[in-house]
Amino acid sequence: MSKQHASVTNEHKINYILYLADSTLILSHRNSEWCGHAPIIEQDIALTNIALDLLGQARSFYQYAATLIGNNVTEDSLAYLRIENEYKNLLLTELPNDDWANTILKQFYFSVYQYYLYQQLLNNSDEQIVAIANKAIKEVVYHVRWSGEWVVRLGDGTAESHQRMKNAIENLKNYIGEMFIAADFETALQIDVNNIQQQWQEKVNATFAEATLPLPENIFNHTGGKNGVHTEYLGYILTEMQYLQRTYPNAVW
Amino acid sequence: MDLEKLATNFQQKINEEIKIEPKDWMPDAYRKTNIRQISQHAHSEIVGMLPEGNWITRAPSLKRKAILLAKIQDEAGHGLYLYSAAETLGISREEMLEQLHTGKAKYSSIFNYPSLTWADMGAIGWLVDGAAIVNQIILCRTSYGPYSRAMIRICKEESFHQRQGFEILWVLSQGTKEQKAMCQDAINRWWWPSLMMFGPKDDESPNTAQSLAWKIKIKTNDELRQQFVDMIAEQVKVLGMTLPDPNLKWNTKKLHYDFGEINWQEFWNVVNGNGPCNKQRLNARIKAHKDGAWVREAASAYAAKKNQPQSKVA
Ligand SMILES: [Fe+2]
Ligand SMILES: [Fe+2]
Ligand SMILES: [Fe+2]
């Protein structure tokens, strides 16, 4: 970040807001890949709705970050003109959709995390962050319910859906931990990741029990997203997303 | 009541503009024509999500991305209303999808054209949704009640679709040299196909006479097409762009625009499966349906379990 007079806290705050923005934008991008291709129209609409909510949240965060950064930075320059190692999103959010079970579980993990995180942010000292969290949490309540109901439905549906959920649990298990390992900017902002983790785990345990699904075992934590070290997938996402802005620099759309 | 009396009553209702409702008696052919037309319309909404869906992940700004997502989501909603309207005539959604996937049912041919640049999102909204609105505003008065009511709901959302499309093109028309070229190119490619959306010429449209008598249709294909040409020929001036038709000219006697001959050979080719994207579009729908089968099965298995009182399912 090329801000000359930024204090340490401001620097951390900007990075933290970008972390929130990037994670929501990238998961929104993945969800939007389903648009027109979901298993049934009603669910196509529901998932697109979540993509739209997440995109809206990302825009609020980017717009706020842009005001803190200054220098003619905009929501679009933040989304479209930063490269892979400047993105701070969770690795979980950039993973491919794979099947409906994997998509649902990714969303469920992330939404439950967002829910407890935003609850904590409601007490943040920054009014703007409180305002964004306050608006977003109403949406997230619905995302948790929608994805949680699907976890139960698929876990306790047919033998095939149960097996596919188990595969998804296996696929994603090493990307859970990153949510709860504090990056510098989280520590600086006094985000209590342990508290979020505890509540997250309780909610997941309860939902998995209802879904007759086993909890993940033998977990290894892949990390790096928060500090700009990503999977190979992110490069392709950004290549696609940023194509027009990169091809026609300074054009207005 | 005997059949003749029923038929007379039915036609009388139509003449008096009283809507036909699902439980009313109706001639078999009326039922069939409505099923064909409403399901075809529903399929068009759903298949129509694909060419625009093609640009969601590449939308050039976050604002444009949000508008495009919301627009495509609307189309999914339109598909839902229309499938429900068709279901009131005694056909299931599953059957209708089956007909789409086997090629027995058609969808609007316009969606068999590719969306090649961002400007196509503008041209589709402006021209394709624009043509759809001309069709649909008149369909709000169609004689079958559930179809008419679905169209009224849909029309409320469609004008936003056309506006967002026009706005995309407007911004491009004010932009760089490359953006202007992109804008004109998209208009050139979408103009003729959008004229084809109104269907064959009246004298070659086999179903028109009966549909008009039953007020399933209110105006003929050619009347609606003319109305569309008159509207777009004016709007294109605002963009500072042109329509790719050397014969387009205001006719001071008719008080309408004259326009050139549509390439009907191309029209029938696309209808019969030889458009640039027919296979791609249909395959995408079939794949989504097939890949989703296990999800739908799981959902109904779970619902069935939960509706069984007291049965303990581990
Ligand atoms: Fe529509
Ligand atoms: Fe339509
Ligand atoms: Fe539309």
Side-chain angles (χ1 to χ4, degrees), chain B residues 41 45 71 74-76 78-79 82 129 132 136 154 158 161:
Chain B
H41 194 162
E45 303 283 354
K71 195 264 185 190
D74 278 355
E75 306 299 5
H78 298 172
L82 288 163
D129 288 87
Q136 289 172 359
I154 288 172
E158 286 293 350
H161 295 178

Side-chain angles (χ1 to χ4, degrees), chain A residues 36 39 42 156 240 245 253, chain B residues 57 60 64 93 285 296 305:
Chain A
E42 287 84 344
D156 196 14
E240 198 171 325
Q245 290 268 356
W253 302 93
Chain B
T57 55
R64 293 277 171 228
R93 200 200 298 183
R285 285 315 313 159
R296 296 189 300 275
K305 274 186 211 177

Side-chain angles (χ1 to χ4, degrees), chain A residues 36-62:
Chain A
H37 306 276
I40 187 165
I41 308 170
E42 287 84 344
Q43 301 307 326
D44 202 301
I45 293 174
L47 192 56
T48 302
N49 219 33
I50 294 177
L52 271 166
D53 286 345
L54 293 177
L55 179 56
Q57 292 172 22
R59 293 185 66 191
S60 301
F61 287 125
Y62 283 131

Side-chain angles (χ1 to χ4, degrees), chain A residues 35 37 243-244, chain B residues 47-59 68 71-72 109-125 128-129 168 182 185-187 189-190 193 275-278 280-281:
Chain A
C35 186
H37 306 276
Y243 146 68
L244 281 166
Chain B
V47 177
M49 296 168 74
L50 299 171
E52 289 179 291
N54 187 32
W55 280 89
I56 295 169
T57 55
R58 290 178 291 171
L68 184 61
K71 195 264 185 190
I72 301 172
S109 272
I110 191 81
F111 301 118
N112 292 317
Y113 289 87
S115 64
L116 301 177
T117 72
W118 171 250
D120 290 30
M121 298 305 96
I124 290 176
V128 177
D129 288 87
I168 288 173
M182 193 187 277
D185 164 67
I187 294 171
R189 281 183 290 106
W190 288 94
C277 300
N278 292 59
Q280 187 185 334
R281 300 289 185 242

Side-chain angles (χ1 to χ4, degrees), chain B residues 30 43 46 76 128 136 138-139 150 209 219 227 239 251 310:
Chain B
Y30 176 86
H43 298 326
I46 299 303
V128 177
Q136 289 172 359
I138 209 79
L139 275 175
K219 286 190 182 182
Q227 197 182 321
L239 293 174
N251 184 322
Q310 303 303 325

